[in-house]
Amino acid sequence: MDARGNRQYKDAVYVTGSTARNLSATPKRKEEEYRESVTRRQQRPEQNGQEQRKKQKKARRVPAVSRGIDFFSMAFLTIAMGVTLFTCLDYLKMQSQLLQLDKQNVTLSSQLSTLTDKNNAALDAMTEAIDLDKIYRVAVGELGMVFPNNNQVVTYEGNDTGYVRQFEDIPAIKQSIIDKILP
């Protein structure tokens, strides 16, 4: 009675709260199937270990799809990496050339400013050294030069370039009778 009472006690279902729980949700194993599996394991212990190793090896094997990449994908990736490497090296080369050109630009700019300062200083020195009054006295007194008359002056339209190119001779001015009389 004790065993029977115990059995009834184990199979009893208790209700807690508003929902009833099923305590034996997993199916019960038949005792015969269990004994057979145990006897099989006991009869062939070596084969059982070998089977487990085979199963482990199969589990470790990776399917063919996820083993790696195929030849074309590898070739494409290699070419893409080569192009990327070439582009990066070309970029670095151009960056280096740009830095060298910047250094040359700074050097030439400093040389230009130095030469411009020297040129302006020389121009100022020449301008101060020239005495326009002395030049006028020598030209009029010693060389006999005179200022031109209004008829002798030819005007022209000037360019903004700072110089004039002469493509033909300057035409002779028609002299009036007064110019012929007064030299």
Side-chain angles (χ1 to χ4, degrees):
M1 187 163 149
D2 195 37
R4 186 184 264 180
N6 247 353
R7 188 172 201 117
Q8 289 175 356
Y9 180 74
K10 285 183 181 178
D11 291 340
V13 177
Y14 294 99
V15 176
T16 57
S18 63
T19 60
R21 293 187 298 170
N22 187 358
L23 296 178
S24 60
T26 59
K28 292 185 179 179
R29 216 185 219 194
K30 293 183 181 177
E31 289 183 25
E32 292 175 12
E33 291 177 10
Y34 177 72
R35 288 181 190 156
E36 286 177 14
S37 64
V38 170
T39 56
R40 279 188 220 149
R41 286 184 201 159
Q42 289 173 356
Q43 289 173 359
R44 299 180 289 168
E46 310 90 29
Q47 291 178 356
N48 191 18
Q50 290 176 355
E51 289 176 12
Q52 285 180 354
R53 282 189 230 125
K54 286 181 183 177
K55 287 181 182 178
Q56 288 175 355
K57 284 183 182 179
K58 285 182 181 179
R60 278 190 242 151
R61 286 187 190 164
V62 180
V65 175
S66 65
R67 257 193 246 158
I69 57 176
D70 60 346
F71 174 75
F72 296 111
S73 298
M74 182 59 125
F76 177 75
L77 287 175
T78 304
I79 291 170
M81 286 177 18
V83 168
T84 304
L85 179 65
F86 175 75
T87 304
C88 290
L89 290 176
D90 192 43
Y91 175 76
L92 290 174
K93 180 179 142 187
M94 287 191 173
Q95 192 74 5
S96 172
Q97 289 175 351
L98 181 66
L99 287 173
Q100 288 176 352
L101 289 175
D102 283 344
K103 287 179 183 179
Q104 286 179 349
N105 189 14
V106 168
T107 303
L108 291 174
S109 295
S110 66
Q111 287 178 355
L112 177 66
S113 65
T114 302
L115 290 175
T116 303
D117 291 343
K118 285 182 182 179
N119 193 15
N120 289 340
L123 182 64
D124 290 341
M126 286 185 347
T127 304
E128 289 176 7
I130 296 174
D131 185 15
L132 295 177
D133 291 332
K134 182 179 179 183
I135 291 173
Y136 178 77
R137 283 189 303 241
V138 170
V140 171
E142 294 178 15
L143 301 175
M145 299 176 109
V146 293
F147 280 104
N149 293 333
N150 288 339
N151 297 347
Q152 295 174 333
V153 177
V154 177
T155 58
Y156 63 92
E157 299 271 332
N159 293 339
D160 291 336
T161 58
Y163 62 93
V164 177
R165 287 189 178 172
Q166 182 176 343
F167 294 110
E168 59 184 45
D169 291 335
I170 299 174
I173 300 174
K174 295 181 183 178
Q175 293 182 351
S176 65
I177 297 176
I178 298 174
D179 291 332
K180 289 180 184 177
I181 298 173
L182 298 173

